[in-house]
Amino acid sequence: MTDVLTRDADALHRALDSKGDEVKVTVSRETAEWLARMVDARSRGQRIVVTHGHAEVTPAEAAALLGVSRPQVRKFMDEGKLGFRMVGAHHRIPIESIEAFRTWEREQMTKGMEELSQLQNELGLFE
């Protein structure tokens, strides 16, 4: 895998070294899919965050990543829904904790939507 990524990175850098506004490059399907997801996200106005394996953020940064307020992040931390550690008097939240929270939140929403759909069916509330 590392060889493929290294080859793709080299190809991208060589293509970017050429003149002009457009580049043509051949990369692996996996790299192309990853690039497409990033371009799609940016086209929807979403923020893209690239971090190293054990990155941590402040509560304000976590709020921006989660799309909630900083006080809401503190509430999640106090409730144990979002892991953190203290660095002196400051809170640091691992990116992995944010990803785990998002996964949990998605599962909760899916479960709630399934329960709502089942209740609608039981009550005969169809559109």
Side-chain angles (χ1 to χ4, degrees), residues 44-60:
R44 292 188 302 270
Q46 295 175 331
R47 195 178 288 189
I48 298 171
V49 178
V50 179
T51 64
H52 56 81
H54 301 289
E56 296 178 320
V57 295
T58 66

Side-chain angles (χ1 to χ4, degrees), residues 47-116:
R47 195 178 288 189
I48 298 171
V49 178
V50 179
T51 64
H52 56 81
H54 301 289
E56 296 178 320
V57 295
T58 66
E61 292 167 330
L65 290 171
L66 292 170
V68 300
S69 67
R70 190 190 57 73
Q72 188 68 37
V73 167
R74 287 299 310 267
K75 180 180 174 189
F76 293 151
M77 292 163 54
D78 293 342
E79 293 173 346
K81 294 178 181 175
L82 196 56
F84 67 94
R85 73 182 182 102
M86 297 298 294
V87 178
H90 303 282
H91 296 86
R92 294 295 177 262
I93 303 165
I95 292 293
E96 293 89 2
S97 181
I98 293 171
E99 291 170 358
F101 177 80
R102 279 188 179 144
T103 299
W104 173 82
E105 189 176 44
R106 254 190 310 276
E107 290 168 357
Q108 295 302 306
M109 285 193 287
T110 299
K111 182 180 171 187
M113 292 302 290
E114 289 170 354
E115 290 172 1
L116 179 60

